Amino acid sequence: MFEEEIINLCKKLRLSRNLADMAQKTEGESHQEYLHKLLSSELKNREQVRISKLVNSAGFYSIKTFDSFRFDEITLPSGLTQESLKSLDFIKDKKNIIMYGRTGTGKTMLSIALGVTACQNGIPVKFYRTAALVNQLSEAKNAGTLSVLLKKLNKAAIIILDEFGYVPYDRTGSQLLFDYLSEIHEQKSVILNTNLEFSRWVNVLYDEQMTAALVGRLMHQCHLILFPGENNRLRESSINDLYHSISTESKGD
């Protein structure tokens, strides 16, 4: 009888079902200890739900952590340590991060790990393949809903743009991307991953003045992280091929 009443009271008080469930399992030597444990459980549950919502709404196409990332294979700039990067100091300072290196060297993995860590700290994130964001901006402008999309983007404290420069953007899309990044300049942190050196960005954005202005704004308060290593996917593939060949030879012997 009391279980159903507790569930209904939780609904009316906008408390989670978790509280009703924990009420049956929690024990305490005093009423105060019991209540403290129960409320602590509810708070922990709310934090977990919030983190889950932030991660799900960020747009990551996979979840990555720092555990398997090889920090010894990247070059951090002066003033940026592995510890300060993991602690997200750049977000507090509203600094940008540009990750530059060949395809498959870990730029996406590190940027997602940073984004997931931000979500775990209650910081809203938006992750996009750059071409996808450009398409969304163009479609929203054509549909007259650009302000709605920008309002959605503005809820994030950090914007992650992956695969910048992999494909050229049309002039309208380039202008919209430039306008958006200019609008959030020094207001939010941007992580941008690219395999293009700055001198070649004009091949993607077309306009030299706009390209120079965008590079200048992104680099104004920025950490440039270099990824000089080889393609990890190719390396892992080569290792697998080598293992397979050795295994086959062993069976033949």
Side-chain angles (χ1 to χ4, degrees):
M1 180 181 70
F2 281 112
E3 183 177 356
E4 289 299 323
E5 289 186 11
I6 290 173
I7 292 173
N8 289 331
L9 288 171
C10 284
K11 287 181 180 178
K12 291 179 180 179
L13 292 170
R14 296 185 178 180
L15 298 171
S16 71
R17 173 64 184 263
N18 172 73
L19 189 68
D21 293 338
M22 290 304 298
Q24 306 296 319
K25 304 173 184 177
T26 303
E27 295 181 355
E29 294 183 1
S30 66
H31 294 310
Q32 286 182 322
E33 182 183 359
Y34 172 80
L35 183 59
H36 179 268
K37 287 183 177 180
L38 199 60
L39 293 177
S40 295
S41 173
E42 173 65 8
L43 181 60
K44 183 178 180 180
N45 180 69
R46 287 190 177 192
E47 289 174 348
Q48 290 174 339
V49 169
R50 185 187 179 201
I51 290 171
S52 179
K53 287 181 178 179
L54 286 174
V55 171
N56 290 335
S57 65
F60 306 121
Y61 49 80
S62 62
I63 301 300
K64 304 292 184 182
T65 66
F66 297 121
D67 294 340
S68 58
F69 186 78
R70 297 165 174 167
F71 277 95
D72 60 327
E73 295 188 355
I74 65 174
T75 303
L76 297 176
S78 175
L80 180 66
T81 64
Q82 184 181 145
E83 291 70 27
S84 64
L85 183 63
K86 288 181 177 180
S87 65
L88 309 176
D89 289 344
F90 70 96
I91 299 178
K92 303 168 192 172
D93 299 332
K94 292 184 172 59
K95 288 188 175 181
N96 302 320
I97 289 180
I98 293 180
M99 301 187 188
Y100 169 72
R102 289 184 292 178
T103 302
T105 50
K107 301 184 297 297
T108 300
M109 181 178 182
L110 180 56
S111 63
I112 290 179
L114 289 169
V116 170
T117 301
C119 290
Q120 291 170 342
N121 283 273
I123 301 171
V125 177
K126 283 297 180 186
F127 177 96
Y128 289 96
R129 286 187 171 96
T130 309
L133 177 59
V134 169
N135 289 338
Q136 286 191 31
L137 290 168
S138 296
E139 290 171 1
K141 180 176 176 60
N142 292 335
T145 58
L146 185 58
S147 61
V148 176
L149 176 58
L150 293 177
K151 186 176 180 180
K152 176 183 174 183
L153 291 171
N154 285 336
K155 292 180 180 179
I158 175 172
I159 303 294
I160 302 176
L161 298 179
D162 196 30
E163 299 181 352
F164 176 86
Y166 278 44
V167 294
Y169 317 122
D170 61 53
R171 292 184 182 276
T172 300
S174 297
Q175 183 66 55
L176 288 169
L177 180 64
F178 171 79
D179 290 344
Y180 172 64
L181 292 177
S182 296
E183 181 181 330
I184 65 173
H185 177 54
E186 295 187 324
Q187 303 299 315
K188 302 178 186 295
S189 291
V190 175
I191 295 178
L192 186 145
N193 304 330
T194 185
N195 63 348
L196 284 182
E197 57 193 67
F198 294 133
S199 62
R200 295 173 58 196
W201 283 24
V202 69
N203 297 333
V204 176
L205 301 172
Y206 300 109
D207 187 283
E208 289 186 5
Q209 288 187 331
M210 185 169 67
T211 301
L214 180 59
V215 171
R217 286 169 187 171
L218 287 173
M219 291 296 294
H220 177 230
Q221 294 282 344
C222 179
H223 296 301
L224 176 62
I225 302 178
L226 303 179
F227 289 69
E230 63 179 299
N231 188 309
N232 290 327
R233 290 187 285 272
L234 289 178
R235 172 168 53 192
E236 290 169 3
S237 175
S238 298
I239 291 173
N240 290 334
D241 290 344
L242 178 61
Y243 174 80
H244 178 71
S245 65
I246 293 174
S247 177
T248 302
E249 290 174 4
S250 298
K251 289 178 181 178
D253 294 340

